[in-house]
Amino acid sequence: MIVVTGATGHLGRLVVEGLLEKLPADQVVAAVRTPEKAADLAERGVEVRRADYTEPESLVTAFKDADKVLLVSSSEVGRRVAQHQAVIEAAKQAGVRHLVYTSAPQATTSALVLAPEHKATEELIQASGLTATILRNNWYHENYADTIKQAVQTGSFAGSAGDGRVASATRADYAAAAVAVLTGEGHEGKVYELAGDVAWSNADLAAEIGQATGREISYVDLPADEHAKVLAQAGLPEPVAGFLVALDADIKAGLLAETTDDLRTLIGRPATPIGVTVAEIAR
C-alpha cells in the first residue's frame, strides 16, 4: 500500500493519477487535510484518509498498514520542519517500510533561500532510521504562470535575476519521477537531484513567450531594491516580495542552474521543455 500525502495539492494529485495508471486503486491511499476535496478519488476506489501535518494523531492513522509513504513537502514556509517531523515520527510509529521525500536542489549544501527547512528535514529522516529516498526537485515551470500571463498582457516582465538560469521542469515530470520511485525497485537510500534538461534565463523565457504569442516580449532586469518596490506597488505583502527578490538573487547566483540526468533517467524520457509550458499558458 502506498500513501501519498498532500494528495489534493498540485503535485500530490499528479502522483496519485500516475500511481493509478500502474496500480489497482485499492493499493493507493490519498492522505489529505480535507477529505471532501478528494471525493473524486474516493469514487474511483482510492481510500481517502484525513492527514493533517499539524495533528500527529491523524498521521499515524493515515499511515496504518502503509508500505511506502510519499511526504510531499509542506507549502507553509517557516513551519515545515515541525510539520515534516510529525510525518516522519508517524511513519516510524506506523512501521512504514519506505519514506520518499520531495526536497530542494542540493538541500544540504546550498545557500538557496528555501534550502534550510529541507536540509533540516533530510537530517530528521536520516536520524529516524527509516529507509528513505530523497527527491530533490528543482523549480517548476508552472511557478512562472503569472509571469507569463503578465508578459502576454503587457509585453514585458521584470525581475532581478540577471542572466541567472533555472533548470526547471513541469510538476508532471517530477510527479512521474515520484511514481517511478514508489513503484520501482532499488531506490532505497538514494538521493536524486531532479532537474530539467536545459537551464534557461529570463531573457530566454521572454523569447519563448514572444514565439508563442508572435509578439515582442522583453525582460526588464532591475536592481534588487527596485524589484522589491515594483512588487510592493503590485500589492504583494512585504514578506512575499522579499522572498521573491531573495529567490531571484539565488537564481542570479546560479543556485537553480544545475542540470542532471536523474529526472530523465527516472521517467524514461526527456524533461518537458519550458517552451511547451509557455505555449500552454500563453495561448
Side-chain angles (χ1 to χ4, degrees):
M1 181 181 292
I2 298 174
V3 176
V4 178
T5 69
T8 52
H10 293 300
L11 181 64
R13 182 171 281 273
L14 288 171
V15 173
V16 171
E17 293 291 348
L19 290 173
L20 292 175
E21 293 178 4
K22 294 191 173 187
L23 301 172
D26 62 4
Q27 293 183 22
V28 181
V29 173
V32 299
R33 182 182 296 179
T34 308
E36 293 77 14
K37 292 183 179 180
D40 61 312
L41 295 175
E43 290 174 358
R44 294 163 63 186
V46 175
E47 183 177 356
V48 176
R49 298 177 180 175
R50 184 175 179 278
D52 189 322
Y53 290 171
T54 65
E55 298 179 16
E57 65 278 3
S58 73
L59 298 170
V60 176
T61 301
F63 299 161
K64 185 176 184 296
D65 299 325
D67 297 303
K68 302 178 182 181
V69 169
L70 173 65
L71 167 52
V72 175
S73 58
S74 167
S75 61
E76 297 184 51
V77 177
R79 302 180 62 194
R80 284 172 164 165
V81 177
Q83 292 178 353
H84 295 169
Q85 183 174 20
V87 173
I88 294 163
E89 291 177 354
K92 188 171 182 179
Q93 186 174 338
V96 170
R97 181 171 61 83
H98 186 187
L99 179 69
V100 180
Y101 173 60
T102 62
S103 189
Q106 304 288 343
T108 55
T109 57
S110 177
L112 184 70
V113 64
L114 289 170
E117 289 182 300
H118 291 291
K119 177 183 179 181
T121 300
E122 290 191 24
E123 290 171 347
L124 288 170
I125 291 172
Q126 185 175 18
S128 74
L130 288 166
T131 298
T133 303
I134 307 299
L135 304 178
R136 291 178 173 169
N137 295 349
N138 201 304
W139 218 227
Y140 301 146
H141 290 346
E142 291 87 349
N143 290 343
Y144 292 88
D146 289 343
T147 297
I148 294 166
K149 292 174 184 176
Q150 175 196 330
V152 170
Q153 292 178 347
T154 66
S156 68
F157 65 96
S160 52
D163 295 326
R165 294 180 173 273
V166 179
S168 62
T170 63
R171 284 195 182 96
D173 290 338
Y174 294 119
V179 170
V181 168
L182 290 165
T183 60
E185 299 295 334
H187 302 292
E188 294 84 351
K190 300 289 183 65
V191 176
Y192 293 109
E193 295 287 349
L194 304 182
D197 300 326
V198 176
W200 50 269
S201 67
N202 277 338
D204 296 327
L205 179 60
E208 292 287 357
I209 300 170
Q211 183 173 342
T213 60
R215 298 172 53 200
E216 185 72 24
I217 304 293
S218 61
Y219 166 60
V220 181
D221 194 59
L222 301 171
D225 58 344
E226 290 298 322
H227 186 198
K229 289 178 183 178
V230 168
L231 294 173
Q233 290 169 359
L236 271 66
E238 184 176 344
V240 176
F243 169 77
L244 293 175
V245 172
L247 180 63
D248 265 18
D250 287 348
I251 292 171
K252 190 172 185 176
L255 301 185
L256 292 178
E258 184 176 352
T259 60
T260 75
D261 293 331
D262 287 358
L263 180 57
R264 69 158 72 195
T265 299
L266 284 175
I267 65 180
R269 59 171 174 78
T272 306
I274 182 64
V276 172
T277 299
V278 168
E280 291 174 351
I281 295 171
R283 65 188 177 197

